[in-house]
Amino acid sequence: MTSAPAPPQPPPKRVGVFARLREPGLGDLVQRNIFLALTRSAFPDAEITHVLPRTTVERFGEFLARHSRATEVLCCPDYGNDDTAAWTAFAEQAAQFDLCIVDPDSHDLGGVQAASFGIARRIGFALGRTGPQGLTTAIRIPRPLFGAPDLFDFATGLAAALGVPASGYADTVPPFPFTPEPLPGLARPTIVFHPGGAPHWNRRWPLAHYIELGQRLRDVAGTVVWVGSPQEASELQRAGTHVIAGADLNSLANLLAQADLLVGSDSAPAHIAAAVGTPTIVLYGPTFTEFMWARVYPNHQGINRRYRCQQIRNLQLGAGPGVMPCEHQCHYAYSGADGPYPKCLTDITVDEVYHAVLKRIPVEVPRD
């Protein structure tokens, strides 16, 4: 006598996406829209809550309020905070979820913790820090193409676990949520330069190289717009006109959506540009991260020396002055526009980037 199949589980009303990330950047959160969009596709009527560390929520409140694909945000204790009272208060709030999905980079907030909160359904990646323990559904990832899983691998695995169709490479990244707004008229082709980025370790192409590139492009570009944070305003002013320092994310998204090309560092504007469909040229230094999105950013081009020592990952924030653990003993933190810069970045020539730009802008221009 065979037993009757188990009745289908009702769709969850409240879904928590657990992401206790360790010192994330804005670009990391932009990429999390991939997971949130897949979750929304699986559960169109559910409230989807992005669970993030408190300092992350405070730092990136503008993004989470207007540009995240989550319905709500819930603060969990920061990474390294083991205060019992903080965890007890968080557990009471997390117990509301019918289902949790664990981000692959979530630290000490996974299936085991979700089970202790009383969350009945727990989905997570069966690798790395999350592991299979405590999960009711383990997300399996096939053998990676690049030796480590990339965004396409993670998205495909999550889609299978959620029971929704997997996207092709070009459709993995959902459109970036933003509100259209008028911008001053910019002559085309419009090229956006983003020479900045987080200063905790140096991933910037030298500012002098950007300035030289901008000068060489004057006869072929309609407008070159320089963008960066308010802290970078004085450096950007050295570059010339059309400087936008500290624009809100909605204005930045509008600018990038109307631009023809972004040339910049491995930083958040490159991820936003990809999510609004704008071509990008990114100049890679010590970060060995291009493989993560090479397949899912169809309009992306990376320029990278690929030195062996560029496979350095997850350096500590706040490490202070010093050198990188690389064979060239490059200076660790970004100290200013006049350098020093890592060898893997200074060795990328202006001529190389100039010719890459000429191939990407949508006009016929003279090529020397």
Side-chain angles (χ1 to χ4, degrees):
M1 181 176 179
T2 60
S3 59
Q9 294 178 306
K13 296 180 180 179
R14 297 171 296 276
V15 178
V17 179
F18 285 7
R20 195 183 187 215
L21 306 176
R22 177 180 172 273
E23 300 168 329
L26 178 58
D28 297 308
L29 295 187
V30 174
Q31 292 172 21
R32 264 58 190 185
N33 273 341
I34 297 174
F35 296 163
L36 295 169
L38 286 170
T39 304
R40 172 61 63 206
S41 178
F43 311 117
D45 299 321
E47 178 183 276
I48 298 173
T49 301
H50 206 177
V51 179
L52 293 162
R54 180 171 298 280
T55 55
T56 300
V57 174
E58 293 171 351
R59 182 181 176 193
F60 300 114
E62 179 189 359
F63 170 83
L64 295 169
R66 302 185 64 184
H67 309 291
S68 169
R69 289 183 167 267
T71 312
E72 303 288 342
V73 176
L74 174 63
C75 295
C76 67
D78 290 324
Y79 177 73
N81 180 0
D82 297 321
D83 180 70
T84 301
W87 276 105
T88 299
F90 170 70
E92 293 175 354
Q93 295 176 291
Q96 67 180 298
F97 298 126
D98 308 309
L99 165 70
C100 80
I101 299 170
V102 183
D103 187 287
D105 285 334
S106 186
H107 291 256
D108 301 324
L109 183 59
V112 172
Q113 290 79 12
S116 72
F117 302 154
I119 302 173
R121 298 169 61 187
R122 306 174 296 275
I123 299 175
F125 291 88
L127 57 86
R129 299 181 186 278
T130 54
Q133 186 179 11
L135 300 174
T136 57
T137 300
I139 301 171
R140 304 291 176 181
I141 296 180
R143 183 181 297 276
L145 179 66
F146 295 103
D150 67 357
L151 286 178
F152 184 75
D153 294 321
F154 284 119
T156 300
L158 178 58
L162 294 175
V164 296
S167 301
Y169 297 156
D171 300 318
T172 300
V173 178
F176 187 77
F178 69 96
T179 304
E181 60 184 42
L183 291 177
L186 300 173
R188 297 189 64 188
T190 299
I191 304 174
V192 177
F193 281 3
H194 175 242
H200 62 276
W201 65 318
N202 198 342
R203 62 181 73 183
R204 305 186 189 193
W205 199 43
L207 181 63
H209 287 17
Y210 276 106
I211 293 173
E212 181 181 344
L213 177 64
Q215 291 170 344
R216 291 186 63 177
L217 289 171
R218 281 184 299 190
D219 294 335
V220 297
T223 310
V224 174
V225 182
W226 299 76
V227 299
S229 69
Q231 293 73 27
E232 295 158 354
S234 61
E235 296 183 9
L236 295 177
Q237 293 295 340
R238 293 168 58 173
T241 58
H242 294 100
V243 170
I244 301 175
D248 62 76
L249 288 179
N250 200 69
S251 296
L252 178 61
N254 274 275
L255 170 64
L256 292 174
Q258 297 180 42
D260 296 290
L261 180 68
L262 168 77
V263 181
S265 307
D266 174 13
S267 194
H271 301 293
I272 297 173
V276 298
T278 296
T280 58
I281 294 176
V282 175
L283 314 175
Y284 289 93
T287 49
F288 188 65
T289 52
E290 184 181 6
F291 82 95
M292 281 293 293
W293 46 78
R295 290 197 286 177
V296 302
Y297 289 177
N299 296 317
H300 167 76
Q301 177 183 349
I303 299 180
N304 190 339
R305 282 290 165 264
R306 302 191 185 281
Y307 295 151
R308 290 184 305 168
C309 54
Q310 286 182 259
Q311 299 185 29
I312 303 166
R313 301 184 66 194
N314 299 322
L315 295 178
Q316 294 281 346
L317 282 176
V323 297
M324 295 182 184
C326 74
E327 63 188 63
H328 304 292
Q329 296 292 287
C330 294
H331 195 262
Y332 181 92
Y334 178 76
S335 57
D338 297 316
Y341 291 89
K343 178 177 173 58
C344 51
L345 282 162
T346 57
D347 283 0
I348 297 174
T349 67
V350 174
D351 193 63
E352 181 178 6
V353 181
Y354 172 73
H355 285 285
V357 170
L358 294 188
K359 294 177 181 178
R360 304 297 294 277
I361 54 179
V363 293
E364 288 298 323
V365 296
R367 288 164 168 75
D368 53 34

